[in-house]
């Protein structure tokens, strides 16, 4: 009896000890971002950094692989009609949204209709060729187009193709509580601090995802992001500064991954957005061209980016088959002065330039400030939080703004929205009917040579119209702890978490 009681006591102690032991720790991936994303609504969002979150939160109808080829997403197959005006998409079965609502053709139609009609939607011009969306079966939709659109399928690989849970998306606070069908669901957000996503256990392909939580941490200063990575407070970060590449490569605990990107950075001129004064000098294309000619893009690359970036004069990256082989004009201060004189502008001209509030952008701003001063521009730098900068651009509350675009695999996605007079990202309100016509025609043709010729006309016209002074193309540089396994850099710069894991 005494032995039995002793055994029970020992077993009881073991049980109590077991109860006191912590549960298995959650697996967490911490990702550093260069700025805080704007609103988490794919139809209203415009930041590059938001696309990182959407890649994990919201499935899209189609996606791209690391070679920028279109691959299935929520649409498992698709086909075009002979006239190119109907796109039929067969949808994946067995998919549910994070709130339990079922995904079907009606849900896909809802999201596309919302992208086209929601007030303020930035996706309207991306998929403006869609006339109507037909539910042609429980798991089939037909997109009926006004005209053929060679860029449409690629547009659906990004935010325009993100599918939202209909019940949740009808609520006014959707951006604060987004609901989609991706591998991770929204958990919480602290502005300027973190966005937390949790594993969605009912995801249709959950075996490809290996973290219980993903935490996105906005850290505008690249050197601070790197310090956090080296200290083990981040597992992975985008946007390694060019000046830090050698540091990462020399650290035996870190790994650097890089790929030539699709994106560009430039100066957007406010030509006619908001209350632009009638006498604003930048309404004159000659003044915009003068500002651009005052910039030495090669020197900017060497001084700020260690020679790792490529000078730009267009929206199409050198990795794009649509890149126009047009030499970047060298700096020409005398020609810039002559253009200002021809425009009847008295110098110095006082200029306000919005600049993102991070050290690298500030350095770029200071270099531009010094260069353009020699041509007669007195540039005042307005350091601004990135999402706020984009809000000011959109509302027209700016004169010049230093910003860019992460690029898209199809050329239409890198230029139409910014240059077409009805483009939803045309923050400067540039308008040229001939350019509009060329851009529209480029959407109508599938033949690459025909499209290339049209885009070449656009690029050459923009050299004098200068709605955007393109500055440089940037490579995508990622730093990560060597414990991170399975990472693939994509030219679009977005971190995709499928197959990613942390070694013990």
């Amino acid at each position: 009896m005494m032995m039995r009681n002793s055994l029970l006591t020992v077993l009881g102690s073991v049980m109590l000890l077991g109860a006191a032991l912590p549960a298995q720790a959650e697996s967490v991936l911490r990702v550093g971002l260069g700025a805080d994303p704007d609103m988490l609504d794919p139809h209203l969002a415009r930041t590059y950094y938001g696309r990182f979150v959407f890649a994990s939160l919201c499935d899209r109808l189609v996606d791209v692989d690391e070679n920028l080829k279109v691959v299935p997403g929520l649409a498992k197959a698709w086909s075009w009609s002979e006239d190119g005006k109907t796109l039929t998409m067969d949808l994946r079965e067995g998919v549910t949204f994070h709130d339990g609502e079922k995904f079907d053709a009606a849900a896909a139609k809802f999201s596309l209709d919302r992208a086209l009609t929601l007030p303020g939607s930035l996706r309207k011009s991306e998929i403006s060729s869609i006339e109507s969306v037909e539910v042609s079966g429980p798991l089939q939709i037909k997109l009926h187009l006004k005209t053929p659109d060679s860029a449409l399928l690629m547009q659906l690989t990004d935010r325009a193709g993100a599918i939202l849970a209909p019940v949740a998306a009808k609520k006014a606070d959707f951006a604060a509580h987004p609901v989609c069908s991706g591998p991770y669901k929204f958990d919480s957000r602290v502005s300027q601090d973190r966005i937390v996503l949790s594993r969605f256990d009912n995801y249709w392909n959950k075996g490809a995802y290996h973290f219980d939580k993903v935490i996105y941490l906005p850290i505008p200063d690249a050197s601070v992001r790197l310090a956090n990575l080296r200290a083990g407070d981040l597992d992975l970060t985008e946007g390694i500064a060019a000046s830090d590449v050698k540091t990462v490569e020399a650290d035996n605990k870190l790994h650097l991954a890089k790929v030539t990107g699709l994106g560009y950075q430039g100066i957007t001129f406010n030509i006619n957005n908001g209350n632009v004064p009638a006498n604003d000098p930048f309404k004159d294309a000659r003044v915009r061209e003068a500002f651009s000619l005052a910039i030495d893009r090669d020197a900017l690359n060497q001084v700020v980016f260690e020679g790792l970036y490529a000078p730009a004069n267009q929206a199409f990256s050198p990795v794009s088959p649509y890149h126009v082989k047009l030499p970047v004009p060298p700096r020409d201060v005398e020609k810039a002065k002559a253009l200002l004189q021809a425009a009847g502008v008295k110098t110095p001209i006082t200029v306000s330039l919005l600049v993102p509030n991070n050290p690298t952008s500030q350095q770029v701003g200071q270099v531009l400030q010094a260069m353009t001063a020699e041509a007669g521009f007195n540039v005042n730098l307005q350091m601004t939080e990135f999402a706020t900068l984009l809000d000011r651009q959109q509302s027209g509350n700016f004169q010049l703004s230093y910003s860019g675009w992460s690029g898209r695999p199809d050329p239409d996605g890198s230029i139409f929205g910014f240059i077409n007079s009805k483009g939803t990202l045309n923050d400067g309100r540039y308008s040229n009917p001939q350019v509009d016509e060329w851009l529209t025609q480029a959407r109508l043709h599938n033949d690459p040579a025909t499209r290339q010729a049209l885009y070449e006309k656009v690029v050459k016209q923009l050299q004098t119209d200068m709605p955007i002074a393109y500055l440089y193309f940037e490579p995508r540089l990622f730093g990560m702890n060597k414990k991170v396994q399975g990472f693939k850099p994509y030219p679009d710069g977005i971190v995709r978490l499928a197959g990613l894991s942390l070694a013990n």
Side-chain angles (χ1 to χ4, degrees):
M1 184 70 173
M2 289 179 63
M3 287 180 63
R4 181 173 178 270
N5 287 339
S6 297
L7 182 59
L8 288 173
T9 300
V10 171
L11 287 172
S13 298
V14 170
M15 290 175 67
L16 286 172
L17 181 62
L21 288 173
Q24 185 175 354
E26 286 187 316
S27 56
V28 179
L29 181 72
R30 298 156 301 174
V31 181
L33 299 178
D36 198 29
D38 56 347
M39 62 185 69
L40 294 181
D41 182 331
H43 297 156
L44 299 174
R46 63 179 292 166
T47 64
Y48 165 56
Y49 304 102
R51 296 173 68 213
F52 284 79
V53 180
F54 291 132
S56 301
L57 182 69
C58 300
D59 277 340
R60 296 158 300 286
L61 286 169
V62 282
D63 203 349
V64 294
D65 63 15
E66 60 267 37
N67 298 311
L68 300 178
K69 301 296 185 184
V70 179
V71 295
L74 289 178
K76 61 183 182 181
W78 53 89
S79 60
W80 287 96
S81 61
E82 285 189 17
D83 64 2
K85 293 178 64 174
T86 300
L87 174 61
T88 300
M89 308 191 89
D90 295 319
L91 307 177
R92 195 175 298 278
E93 61 277 357
V95 176
T96 57
F97 292 103
H98 300 150
D99 61 358
E101 190 176 359
K102 182 182 177 182
F103 165 74
D104 57 13
K109 172 179 167 58
F110 169 85
S111 283
L112 291 170
D113 286 345
R114 183 179 186 269
L116 286 166
T117 61
L118 181 71
S121 171
L122 297 175
R123 311 284 82 87
K124 288 180 184 178
S125 63
E126 295 174 357
I127 56 173
S128 59
S129 60
I130 298 177
E131 185 168 47
S132 65
V133 181
E134 175 192 354
V135 174
S136 49
L139 289 170
Q140 187 184 80
I141 55 173
K142 292 182 183 291
L143 310 186
H144 298 291
L145 311 187
K146 303 168 190 173
T147 59
D149 184 355
S150 58
L152 179 62
L153 194 62
M154 195 62 79
Q155 293 286 16
L156 296 178
T157 68
D158 207 274
R159 289 169 294 198
I163 303 300
L164 320 182
V167 171
K170 291 174 184 175
K171 298 177 181 177
D173 66 344
F174 177 78
H177 303 281
V179 181
C180 293
S181 66
Y184 292 91
K185 59 184 179 180
F186 180 77
D187 185 307
S188 61
R189 179 176 192 175
V190 178
S191 181
Q192 304 299 326
D193 182 72
R194 65 187 55 214
I195 295 172
V196 181
L197 306 184
S198 298
R199 181 199 297 273
F200 179 41
D201 288 331
N202 292 326
Y203 186 59
W204 60 271
N205 188 29
K206 68 178 182 179
Y209 296 86
H210 306 297
F211 301 102
D212 296 311
K213 287 196 175 189
V214 182
I215 303 176
Y216 295 95
L217 298 156
I219 305 172
D221 190 323
S223 63
V224 176
R225 286 200 303 278
L226 177 57
N228 277 265
L229 181 66
R230 299 186 76 181
D233 296 324
L234 290 176
D235 302 302
L236 168 68
T237 182
E238 63 86 32
I240 292 292
S243 57
D244 291 330
V245 166
K246 292 178 181 177
T247 301
V248 175
E249 291 177 331
D251 192 321
N252 60 13
K253 292 182 180 179
L254 303 181
H255 173 66
L256 181 80
K258 56 186 176 181
V259 65
T260 302
L262 294 168
Y264 65 82
Q265 289 288 323
I267 302 295
T268 296
F269 299 98
N270 190 353
I271 300 169
N272 197 33
N273 186 4
N275 298 316
V276 181
N279 63 347
D280 188 292
F282 289 99
K283 282 181 171 287
D284 192 319
R286 291 171 294 184
V287 178
R288 302 193 295 270
E289 186 181 359
F291 190 90
S292 180
L293 281 170
I295 300 168
D296 187 331
R297 287 157 172 81
D298 286 313
L300 176 66
N301 179 31
Q302 294 298 329
V303 170
V304 183
F305 302 115
E306 306 283 322
L308 294 175
Y309 288 24
N313 62 348
Q314 60 186 280
F316 308 133
S317 160
V319 299
S320 168
Y322 292 90
H323 177 77
V324 178
K325 294 180 180 179
L326 188 68
V328 176
R331 186 182 191 222
D332 193 335
V333 173
E334 293 309 312
K335 184 177 179 181
K337 289 179 178 179
L339 284 167
L340 292 177
Q341 185 175 6
V345 173
K346 293 182 179 180
T347 57
I349 308 173
T350 298
V351 181
S352 294
L353 174 63
L354 295 183
V355 178
N357 64 340
N358 64 73
T360 301
S361 294
Q362 182 176 11
Q363 190 179 3
V364 170
Q366 290 168 343
V367 171
L368 297 178
Q369 188 180 50
M371 288 178 174
T372 57
E374 294 182 29
F377 295 95
N378 178 26
V379 177
N380 295 322
L381 304 181
Q382 297 182 343
M383 304 304 296
T384 311
E385 191 274 324
F386 187 61
T388 303
L389 179 148
L390 292 179
D391 284 342
R392 289 186 59 179
Q393 271 193 206
Q394 192 171 341
S395 65
N397 183 19
F398 76 105
Q399 188 177 26
L400 277 67
S401 183
Y402 167 57
S403 61
W405 187 241
S406 52
R408 298 294 182 271
D410 188 276
D412 181 89
S414 291
I415 199 167
F416 189 99
F418 298 89
I419 298 302
N420 185 277
S421 57
K422 296 182 179 179
T424 49
L425 298 170
N426 184 355
D427 293 330
R429 299 296 189 268
Y430 164 74
S431 180
N432 182 326
Q434 179 61 76
V435 170
D436 286 352
E437 176 64 20
W438 287 331
L439 290 172
T440 300
Q441 286 296 318
R443 281 184 164 185
L444 300 179
H445 295 281
N446 285 314
D447 176 50
T450 302
R451 299 185 78 200
Q452 174 70 44
L454 288 163
Y455 285 126
E456 184 171 338
K457 291 180 180 181
V458 171
V459 168
K460 288 181 177 178
Q461 183 64 45
L462 296 184
Q463 303 306 301
T464 50
D465 289 359
M466 200 60 66
I468 298 172
Y470 300 99
L471 296 177
Y472 57 83
F473 300 113
E474 49 190 330
R476 297 302 178 190
L477 303 171
F478 303 90
M480 66 202 74
N481 190 299
K482 282 190 174 177
K483 291 183 179 180
V484 175
Q485 305 290 312
F487 178 79
K488 294 180 181 179
Y490 283 62
D492 65 4
I494 305 304
V495 171
R496 289 164 171 83
L497 300 183
L500 213 61
S501 64
L502 283 176
N504 294 325

